[in-house]
Amino acid sequence: MKVVCFDLDDTLYKEIDYLHSAYRDIARKLWGNEWNLWYQNMLEWRKESVDVFERICEVRPNVVKCALLNMYRYDPHELTLADDVESTLRLMKEAKIKLGIITDGRVQTRLRL
């Protein structure tokens, strides 16, 4: 039996895509229709090495940092496989190769695939 295992982070999915998806979701939950402006702010703060969740708590004092961390870590985020990854997995499935995933991420993390 042939088995191929893939690492989830930065192999099947790019970790930066997870971050972007999480930031979009958080911005939508906190700012509704104005989410895109705040999403862009979050990306800019990250680029400037600012603690994004601390900054959000300064802007929105009613928000608790641990709630933001939980949203980031545990809310389901929408990710898409890169075309080459998807086609490779499809070919391996057609060849009846068993597939597995290995990750050092949190067990509770959920993805919408």
Side-chain angles (χ1 to χ4, degrees):
M1 174 174 29
K2 293 182 183 180
V3 177
V4 176
C5 291
F6 294 92
D7 181 28
L8 188 63
D9 300 329
D10 285 331
T11 303
L12 292 179
Y13 295 98
K14 293 187 180 359
E15 203 164 341
I16 193 70
D17 292 344
Y18 180 92
L19 178 136
H20 286 186
S21 176
Y23 279 13
R24 276 191 304 274
D25 288 348
I26 290 168
R28 284 183 179 121
K29 287 177 183 170
L30 294 179
W31 287 285
N33 291 337
E34 297 178 1
W35 74 268
N36 193 42
L37 168 69
W38 290 98
Y39 168 68
Q40 296 302 323
N41 286 339
M42 293 165 73
L43 294 177
E44 190 60 35
W45 296 333
R46 181 180 181 278
K47 193 166 119 181
E48 296 169 356
S49 298
V50 171
D51 183 322
V52 172
F53 296 153
E54 285 287 332
R55 182 64 58 89
I56 290 172
C57 291
E58 291 169 9
V59 174
R60 299 280 304 264
N62 61 324
V63 175
V64 179
K65 185 175 180 178
C66 67
L68 295 171
L69 287 170
N70 285 337
M71 281 191 266
Y72 182 89
R73 291 176 179 160
Y74 306 125
D75 284 2
H77 304 297
E78 199 160 330
L79 297 175
T80 305
L81 289 170
D83 290 341
D84 59 336
V85 172
E86 189 171 351
S87 62
T88 299
L89 293 174
R90 191 176 295 111
L91 287 171
M92 295 175 108
K93 182 179 178 183
E94 290 168 3
K96 308 238 186 287
I97 296 171
K98 301 284 185 195
L99 302 176
I101 295 175
I102 298 172
T103 184
D104 61 355
R106 291 175 176 77
V107 172
Q108 302 91 340
T109 300
R110 296 177 287 162
L111 304 174
R112 290 186 301 247
L113 306 174

